[in-house]
């Protein structure tokens, strides 16, 4: 009888945990994020290389191995929860993944930046042009993501100087190690110098899988994240950066084409139907 009672209690506990998992998971995740940030800082402070860093001393050979070259158009994706920045490069009519870099540090938690001083790293769709570059940044090198964009302004979000930079320190930015930002900088500036007007940067809270979306179903940002997923899925389907605009306060996503490279600005305006 005692074993039966224990089995019933275990089943009830498991069922309750499953039912409340969307409410419980964010607390567990916040702790895991804090631990990842501490580990990255400890590794960086000790002068060690972050796990997952590519061979930064061998960029020419890595480019040649993938039939790429400096100056090819690029496209960037950031995944906050996974601490990863992806660099995609155009070959033919499609973009192919060239490298995944560890993000050393970002500040705040999952969710978009809402106002000046909240120390949140932004999420959304942005473009970077030559005016966003700062080779003499106090954080080694930096480029401005362009926050607030048309979507952010439509929702009265405030803030400025939200960057991707080096030095592994963040008060609202995405901070890389100096070696990583040097390589990203080289690929970015070469693409702009070769004629790409803007580089599209998609910034997500996490990998936009069905599992992750379900885990965060109770988050008040889920509606916003579903909009981001549309842009994520459009790129994964076509391997071309989608055309992004802001229509009635929502991101509007249209498929990109093989002749495009993500250079179109992200502006307010509803696509023709």
């Amino acid at each position: 009888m005692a074993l039966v009672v224990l089995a019933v209690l275990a089943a009830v506990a498991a069922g309750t945990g499953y039912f409340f998992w969307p409410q419980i998971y964010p607390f567990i995740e916040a702790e895991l994020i804090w631990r990842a940030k501490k580990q990255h800082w400890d590794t960086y402070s000790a002068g060690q290389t972050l796990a997952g860093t590519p061979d930064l001393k061998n960029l020419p050979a890595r480019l040649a191995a993938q039939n790429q070259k400096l100056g090819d158009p690029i496209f960037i994706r950031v995944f906050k929860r996974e601490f990863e920045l992806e660099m995609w490069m155009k070959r033919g009519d499609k973009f192919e993944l060239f490298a995944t870099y560890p993000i050393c540090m970002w500040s705040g938690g999952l969710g978009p930046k809402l106002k000046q001083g909240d120390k949140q790293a932004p999420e959304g769709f942005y473009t970077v042009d030559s005016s966003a570059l700062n080779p003499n940044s106090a954080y080694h090198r930096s480029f401005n993501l362009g926050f607030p964009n048309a979507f952010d302004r439509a929702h009265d979000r405030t803030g400025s100087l939200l960057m991707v930079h080096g030095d592994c320190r963040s008060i609202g930015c995405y901070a890389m190690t100096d070696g990583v930002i040097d390589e990203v900088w080289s690929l970015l500036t070469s693409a702009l110098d070769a004629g790409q007007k803007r580089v599209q940067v998609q910034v997500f809270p996490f990998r936009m899988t069905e599992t992750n979306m379900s885990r965060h179903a109770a988050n008040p940002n889920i509606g916003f994240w579903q909009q981001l997923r549309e842009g994520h899925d459009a790129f994964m389907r076509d391997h071309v950066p989608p055309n992004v605009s802001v229509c009635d306060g929502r991101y509007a996503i249209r498929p990109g084409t093989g002749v495009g490279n993500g250079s179109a600005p992200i502006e307010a305006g509803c696509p023709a139907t």
Side-chain angles (χ1 to χ4, degrees):
M1 180 63 70
L3 291 176
V4 172
V5 171
L6 287 174
V8 170
L9 290 174
V12 170
T16 302
Y18 179 82
F19 182 79
F20 288 106
W21 184 244
Q23 288 76 28
I24 297 170
Y25 184 76
F27 296 99
I28 299 173
E29 188 170 51
E31 173 67 17
L32 294 174
I33 289 171
W34 181 87
R35 291 187 182 188
K37 289 178 179 179
K38 183 179 185 302
Q39 182 182 41
H40 279 201
W41 178 251
D42 289 346
T43 301
Y44 175 77
S45 299
Q48 299 173 354
T49 301
L50 293 183
T53 301
D55 182 2
L56 302 176
K57 297 180 180 178
N58 205 20
L59 177 59
R62 287 165 46 224
L63 285 167
Q66 294 189 214
N67 197 25
Q68 307 281 179
K69 65 182 185 303
L70 287 174
D72 286 347
I74 67 170
F75 166 70
I76 295 173
R77 301 199 303 176
V78 169
F79 296 94
K80 185 185 279 186
R81 172 64 184 90
E82 289 79 11
F83 289 78
E84 289 181 341
L85 183 150
E86 291 182 346
M87 177 68 66
W88 294 71
M89 302 185 72
K90 191 174 187 183
R91 187 167 71 177
D93 290 340
K94 305 289 184 180
F95 281 72
E96 298 182 2
L97 181 63
F98 171 67
T100 301
Y101 305 97
I103 297 172
C104 193
M105 191 66 60
W106 50 269
S107 60
L110 300 185
K113 182 174 183 63
L114 300 179
K115 62 182 179 180
Q116 181 77 33
D118 64 6
K119 297 184 180 179
Q120 275 287 105
E123 299 168 5
F125 302 131
Y126 299 92
T127 58
V128 175
D129 60 21
S130 58
S131 69
L133 305 177
N134 182 5
N136 301 309
S137 170
Y139 299 94
H140 187 58
R141 299 185 192 275
S142 67
F143 59 89
N144 195 326
L145 281 172
F147 181 96
N149 65 9
F151 181 95
D152 301 318
R153 293 192 298 271
H155 293 270
D156 298 320
R157 297 176 179 176
T158 59
S160 61
L161 303 178
L162 279 301
M163 307 282 185
V164 177
H165 59 65
D167 199 33
C168 194
R169 304 168 195 265
S170 172
I171 52 172
C173 301
Y174 291 96
M176 322 300 288
T177 62
D178 289 355
V180 166
I181 197 63
D182 279 341
E183 180 164 299
V184 171
W185 181 270
S186 179
L187 295 164
L188 171 62
T189 55
S190 295
L192 294 173
D193 290 344
Q196 187 174 2
K197 292 182 179 180
R198 300 173 192 85
V199 171
Q200 188 176 133
V201 182
Q202 296 188 348
V203 186
F204 302 104
F206 41 73
R207 296 276 172 186
M208 307 301 280
T209 64
E210 192 62 43
T211 298
N212 281 338
M213 296 296 286
S214 297
R215 284 172 175 167
H216 296 89
N219 192 293
N221 293 303
I222 191 64
F224 170 63
W225 291 340
Q226 287 168 343
Q227 294 180 53
L228 299 189
R229 190 181 184 187
E230 291 179 21
H232 171 278
D233 290 355
F235 175 75
M236 292 307 296
R237 181 188 64 240
D238 302 327
H239 277 211
V240 177
N243 295 308
V244 182
S245 59
V246 180
C247 175
D248 297 329
R250 293 180 56 87
Y251 279 118
I253 308 297
R254 289 173 294 141
T257 64
V259 298
N261 57 20
S263 286
I266 297 175
E267 299 175 330
C270 297
T273 57

